Amino acid sequence: MSSNWNPKDHLPQDVQQSMVNANDPLAFYQIISRLKIQKRTGWLDHDINDCESIADHMYRMSIMSMLIKDPQVNKDKCVRIALVHDMAESLVGDITPFDPVTKEEKHRREWDTIQFLCNEFIQHYNKDAAKEIMDDWSAYEHVGSLEARYVKDIDKYEMLVQCFEYEKRLNDSTKLKQFWSAVNSVKTQEIQSWVQKLLKAREEFFQA
């Protein structure tokens, strides 16, 4: 764990070469494409090697966000936050609570990366887009809006849906049991109702 961690040091070689033209967002697209192939660490740590990518996770979160019924919620904003919230992992990687990185250091690395991506690759092409991405990421990180609260809950819910899918594949309700503690982190009433239906489906599956 080093306080000298710098996102620029983790750029792939082809992207470093693309940085010659800062007005072209191609380099940014190449960086976030890594989210399509990077597997989620929590599953790998439990020997599920053929598992979802970070982008898989964010994609289904964004679809789930479209289904929110609460009339006070801006669903479009939720979709944006869902698609941005793990963007920094394209360079930082998927750090879990079991990694030797403090919560504060994780936040610093990810915020430095979001600023780096926006200021280095997006700002010159679309200033408004750069600001929106930074604002959306920050809202999620600090639960700075109702929409961010919903996306925080959907983040947990999507993980639980995925967990149940792997449990069914393994026909084992014990191997991934620790993930279900996330049930207690869901705060909004609507997503709590989704979780309860999921728990019921899981119970019925393993009783059958």
Side-chain angles (χ1 to χ4, degrees):
M1 177 173 59
S2 171
S3 60
N4 295 323
W5 191 95
N6 188 317
K8 187 176 292 188
D9 297 334
H10 298 267
L11 287 171
Q13 188 63 38
D14 59 336
V15 171
Q16 292 181 21
Q17 296 170 353
S18 300
M19 289 178 67
V20 294
N21 186 355
N23 292 314
D24 186 348
L26 174 60
F28 171 67
Y29 302 150
Q30 291 174 318
I31 293 169
I32 61 170
S33 72
R34 303 177 80 189
L35 298 170
K36 295 165 59 176
I37 58 175
Q38 289 188 37
K39 303 299 184 181
R40 297 254 285 165
T41 304
W43 308 128
L44 294 175
D45 287 347
H46 285 76
D47 301 319
I48 302 178
N49 298 315
D50 183 19
C51 65
E52 64 170 347
S53 69
I54 298 168
D56 292 333
H57 168 63
M58 292 195 296
Y59 173 75
R60 186 156 63 175
M61 279 181 62
S62 68
I63 297 299
M64 290 173 171
S65 297
M66 296 178 185
L67 273 61
I68 295 170
K69 292 197 298 185
D70 188 338
Q72 298 181 2
V73 174
N74 182 334
K75 291 184 291 185
D76 292 342
K77 187 72 169 178
C78 288
V79 171
R80 285 184 53 88
I81 295 173
L83 291 171
V84 164
H85 83 286
D86 279 343
M87 185 179 288
E89 293 182 11
S90 57
L91 295 180
V92 177
D94 183 14
I95 299 172
T96 76
F98 300 98
D99 289 319
V101 177
T102 65
K103 187 175 182 179
E104 293 74 20
E105 177 65 10
K106 176 180 183 292
H107 170 82
R108 186 193 72 79
R109 292 184 185 186
E110 292 183 349
W111 178 229
D112 285 355
T113 298
I114 289 294
Q115 293 180 92
F116 171 68
L117 293 174
C118 290
N119 294 330
E120 192 72 40
F121 301 108
I122 305 174
Q123 173 82 11
H124 305 289
Y125 182 77
N126 189 328
K127 182 178 180 180
D128 292 337
K131 182 179 185 303
E132 286 172 352
I133 289 173
M134 287 190 286
D135 287 349
D136 288 337
W137 187 91
S138 184
Y140 177 85
E141 189 72 6
H142 301 288
V143 198
S145 65
L146 177 61
E147 289 75 18
R149 176 70 265 168
Y150 264 84
V151 178
K152 279 279 187 181
D153 286 355
I154 287 174
D155 180 46
K156 298 294 188 296
Y157 173 73
E158 198 285 331
M159 179 193 71
L160 293 174
V161 172
Q162 186 64 66
C163 186
F164 181 38
E165 290 170 355
Y166 291 145
E167 287 180 329
K168 288 189 290 185
R169 181 199 297 181
L170 298 168
N171 196 26
D172 184 349
S173 63
T174 61
K175 182 178 176 66
L176 305 174
K177 188 175 181 179
Q178 73 175 67
F179 289 93
W180 292 93
S181 63
V183 167
N184 300 320
S185 300
V186 177
K187 308 298 183 185
T188 57
Q189 186 174 355
E190 183 172 352
I191 311 306
Q192 284 177 345
S193 72
W194 295 6
V195 170
Q196 291 307 310
K197 291 176 182 177
L198 175 63
L199 290 171
K200 186 174 186 296
R202 180 174 181 259
E203 180 182 4
E204 291 175 349
F205 177 85
F206 286 110
Q207 284 181 346

